[in-house]
Every structure is written in C-alpha cells, then in structure tokens.
Amino acid sequence: MAVYNFSAGPAVMPHEVLEEAKAELTDWQGSGMSVMEVSHRGKAFVACAAETEALVRSVMGVPDDYAVLFLQGGATGQFAAIPLNLTAAGDAVDFLNTGQWSAKAISEAKKFGVDVRVIADEKASGYTTTPAAGSYELTPGAKYLHYTPNETIGGVAFPYIPETGDVPLVADMSSMILSGPMDVSKFGVIFAGTQKNLGPAGMCLVIVRKHLLGSARLATPTIVDWAGMAANDSMTNTPPTFGLYLLGKILKWVERQGGAEGIGKLNAEKAAALYGFIDGHDFYSNPVAVESRSIMNVPFLLANPELDKQFVKEADAAGLMFLAGHRSVGGMRASIYNAMPREGVDALIAFMTEFAEKNG
Ligand code: PMP
C-alpha cells in the first residue's frame, strides 16, 4: 500500500532522495564511511557544504550580496537571533501578527528589550486572513518588519510581499520556502527551519543581506551570530552535517522538477485540486479567506466534528498519515509540501469523497 505523509513537519521528503541517501549511507564517495562520520573540516565535507550553498543560491536565485547560513536551533532559534543581530535594546521593531508562529516570534522578541510594535493583527478574523497591503503603517525608525508569509497551523498565507522601502523585511519562510519562485532581493532576512521543504529537522537556513551583518549585540551567542557564521561558512562550530548533505540532494531534486518555477506550478495544481474539492463539497469546509489560503498547509473541517477521530483513524488505515489538525485548533490539516506527489493529493480526495458518502 502506498503511504502518503501529510505531516506539517518533520515532513515528507522526496522518495528518490531517501533512496539515494540509503544507497550511499555506509559508503559515501567511496570513503567506506557515512557522511555523518567524517570531519566537517575535511576536504570532502567542505566541498559538500559548498555545493549545497551554491545550489541554494542557484535554485532560489539568491543574489551575491546575501549571505547563506546553515544554523542550528531551528526557526525558533532565529526568533531570538533576529533581535540580537539587528537591534540594540530600546529599538522599535514591527510585526504583522497572522497566527501562532507570528505570536511566538513576537513573544521571543519581547525578551530582548526592544519596543515591539504589532502594526497589524488578524485576531478579529480568528487568524483566517492576512492584512491588506497598505492597511498598516510602519513605525518610523523601526529596525525591521517581521512577518510570517505562511502560517503553518492556520494555513494562512500572504498573497503579496509587504512593501517596506528601506526597512529590512524579515520573513519566517519555514513552511513555504522554495514552494515556488521568490524574489529574494525584496527581503532583508529570510529564515526557514529545514524540516518541511528542505529536509530533516535540525537546521535553519538563513539568508541575510550582507549589509545587515556586523551590528549584533555584544552578548549574541556565537552560534547565532550571523556575521561570525558568514565569515566561517557556517562552521564556527560543528554544523548539522547530515542535514547539509541531504539539503544538497533535495535541491538537485527540485532542479529535476523544473526548479522553483516547476515546483511552484506543481504545488499550485495540488492546492487547487484540494481546495476545489473542499469548496465543492458540503461535508468539508476550509475556514481561511480565499485570497489568503496556503498552498502548503490546508486545514479543513468536517461538517460533523464528532467524526474527526474516525476520519483520522480510517485515513491512517488507508495510508494517509498525520491528517489531524494542530492540537490547538482541531479539525484536519493536510500539509502538501514540495515532496507530496500529486498522487497523494488525489488519494486524499478519493478517500474524502468516500468518507463523506458513507457518513454524510
Ligand atoms: N515558524 C513556522 C512558520 C513554523 O511552521 C515552525 C515549525 N512548525 C517554526 C517557526 C518553528 O520551527 P522550529 O521547530 O524549527 O523551531
């Protein structure tokens, strides 16, 4: 039976990549050892890390005036790293609050003595919307604007990139990085935990405009000091070597899907099929404003929530895994990241059709 993994993260990885890694797990590049067992400072691994960085740059179209960093501590680590690297105590920083991941970043920033201004908050809609472009005003002198282009729990995504002029735009792309083409030059800082579109957990990809480097607070821990990490090719300390190696393979896989353009097209088709089905069926609904729907995380509700447990159980038995919504919101959520094949979405729709017929 085919198994399709709809987990929000750690999440499905391309099968081909796992097969490749398996084939060379005990003998990497003829070394007789796995990639996990070699020194990060040895010639072979340094070349592997450099290749991964070059692939990030080419597949994502990262301009030369940006540093590409591979850090530990996940995206959550960067919630602290951002104010440490970009502010002094007392500086104002702006946030758009579109859900739980924005909220977590906001509360972390507050620990660092910055003047946190939430200039838009979608509370009134129950975090099912994004603020309209131009409906919020940046705080004069703010050091950056932080936002979450894709809220993983709510399934809410910005349909546009906020315009911030000279103020650095900081984007938590954890759950939508490389889901389609993206103009990196619009951002000051992009960061993403790797456990959704970029491989296993344990690493955070940070892409930062070089002119923002060098103003970290003195107390910034070495492992999140972007300037130091940039100067040391992310090897101030031991980097997450296995994640770096797998990320390279995933990026090559994305290239084989037609790069960011190609994968974006496939993602749009998968999402359109699933939303189209949900919207056309009385038994299912999606609570998010149509223009703000995520193409990566698709939450949906059953007409009768008493059937939620049964739905998850039967889906599980049919090989459709991890469809329960986040524990804080309930309902269902299908995460359909890059590595979810179209067949997986079609299998989900077929299952949902049958479930509604039996229980509707
Ligand atoms: N931001 C977003 C949008 C996320 O989805 C997540 C994880 N689900 C995080 C931040 C936190 O990531 P991590 O667990 O890597 O710290």
Side-chain angles (χ1 to χ4, degrees):
M1 179 178 76
V3 168
Y4 295 109
N5 173 5
F6 294 92
S7 170
V12 59
M13 283 172 53
H15 192 72
E16 277 167 60
V17 167
L18 294 174
E19 288 292 345
E20 257 179 59
K22 178 177 156 193
E24 54 193 45
L25 191 64
T26 55
D27 185 12
W28 180 57
Q29 296 185 348
S31 66
M33 296 171 282
S34 93
V35 67
M36 286 180 280
E37 299 167 289
V38 303
S39 168
H40 60 293
R41 308 226 181 259
K43 212 169 152 194
F45 190 79
V46 167
C48 170
E51 185 188 27
T52 298
E53 180 183 332
L55 282 161
V56 169
R57 289 185 181 278
S58 63
V59 176
M60 289 188 59
V62 180
D64 288 344
D65 60 331
Y66 284 75
V68 173
L69 309 176
F70 305 101
L71 306 183
Q72 300 187 50
T76 303
Q78 295 307 308
F79 291 168
I82 294 158
L84 284 167
N85 278 279
L86 297 180
T87 70
D91 283 342
V93 295
D94 285 340
F95 278 87
L96 306 179
N97 186 1
T98 51
Q100 296 194 32
W101 291 109
S102 316
K104 287 209 160 98
I106 289 165
S107 61
E108 192 73 358
K110 285 181 176 166
K111 294 179 180 171
F112 297 96
V114 283
D115 177 12
V116 172
R117 309 282 185 99
V118 180
I119 59 172
D121 193 315
E122 299 304 286
K123 188 165 185 231
S125 70
Y127 299 102
T128 58
T129 50
T130 49
S135 66
Y136 43 87
E137 252 177 67
L138 303 182
T139 304
K143 284 294 163 90
Y144 56 82
L145 171 69
H146 179 130
Y147 86 119
T148 312
N150 188 80
E151 285 281 356
T152 321
I153 296 170
V156 174
F158 277 76
Y160 66 95
I161 298 173
E163 196 52 65
T164 56
D166 291 337
V167 176
L169 180 60
V170 174
D172 175 359
M173 296 199 186
S174 295
S175 48
M176 53 68 85
I177 190 129
L178 201 47
S179 57
M182 171 70 72
D183 182 355
V184 174
S185 73
K186 299 253 190 265
F187 299 88
V189 181
I190 288 170
F191 66 106
T194 48
Q195 65 271 29
K196 298 149 196 314
N197 272 341
L198 304 179
M203 192 161 78
C204 188
L205 172 65
V206 179
I207 301 173
V208 52
R209 199 185 267 275
K210 285 180 183 165
H211 79 69
L212 295 174
L213 298 174
S215 41
R217 298 187 194 185
L218 280 177
T220 304
T222 305
I223 59 157
V224 292
D225 177 7
W226 296 338
M229 281 293 187
N232 294 319
D233 294 329
S234 304
M235 295 199 195
T236 309
N237 71 326
T238 315
T241 53
F242 195 60
L244 265 164
Y245 153 87
L246 282 173
L247 174 55
K249 290 200 181 300
I250 286 174
L251 291 163
K252 286 184 200 164
W253 175 83
V254 170
E255 277 181 338
R256 296 197 293 276
Q257 315 309 305
E261 290 281 344
I263 206 95
K265 194 164 165 283
L266 294 171
N267 284 332
E269 288 166 6
K270 287 185 290 179
L274 188 49
Y275 284 116
F277 170 77
I278 291 169
D279 289 344
H281 214 299
D282 288 346
F283 193 79
Y284 300 103
S285 62
N286 168 278
V288 179
V290 172
E291 68 282 6
S292 303
R293 285 172 165 181
S294 166
I295 62 163
M296 295 278 97
N297 310 101
V298 182
F300 59 91
L301 302 170
L302 311 190
N304 177 3
E306 279 169 21
L307 294 171
D308 282 4
K309 277 209 173 89
Q310 188 188 332
F311 181 95
V312 172
K313 197 168 155 223
E314 289 182 19
D316 212 88
L320 306 169
M321 313 307 290
F322 304 124
L323 283 163
H326 189 267
R327 60 189 187 279
S328 63
V329 292
M332 304 299 149
R333 173 178 50 171
S335 293
I336 49 175
Y337 296 120
N338 287 355
M340 172 58 65
R342 173 63 196 249
E343 294 75 39
V345 173
D346 291 341
L348 174 60
I349 291 171
F351 172 82
M352 288 169 75
T353 306
E354 207 178 299
F355 189 87
E357 273 163 16
K358 274 195 315 212
N359 299 287

